[in-house]
Amino acid sequence: MMTANLEQISEHNLVILADEELADGSSVTVLCKSHELNGVVEYAEYDEVLGNFIHVRLHSDSEWSTDYFRPEHLLLMARVLEQRVHQTAA
């Protein structure tokens, strides 16, 4: 088991930041509150300062939805764009 930060998430993919490495093709289970997301490491990128950015492709039966888990720092781009349109129109 490892501890990692969730950096990005979408319906089919996620990116975690960890100190440890995971090999391409490794099976991954990410615990998000009471929901589990299962997938496979597609690739990882190492950053000397931050660590390993591990890109995970979620299994089709384990896709993410805001119904299951909503990260506290989730930025919903549609809302941001909508706010910008309203501000521009004003």
Side-chain angles (χ1 to χ4, degrees), residues 50-73:
L50 299 173
N52 296 288
F53 288 92
I54 302 168
H55 297 254
V56 177
R57 173 80 173 156
L58 297 172
H59 296 311
S60 60
D61 62 349
S62 187
E63 294 175 341
W64 172 75
S65 166
T66 55
D67 295 339
Y68 305 135
F69 169 71
R70 182 182 296 241
E72 292 177 20
H73 64 278

Side-chain angles (χ1 to χ4, degrees), residues 2 14 16 18 20-30 37-44 52-59:
M2 78 165 62
L14 59 85
I16 55 175
E20 296 88 355
E21 294 181 40
L22 286 178
D24 295 357
S26 296
S27 293
V28 175
T29 298
V30 177
L37 299 172
N38 299 295
V40 175
V41 174
E42 289 190 313
Y43 65 97
N52 296 288
F53 288 92
I54 302 168
H55 297 254
V56 177
R57 173 80 173 156
L58 297 172
H59 296 311

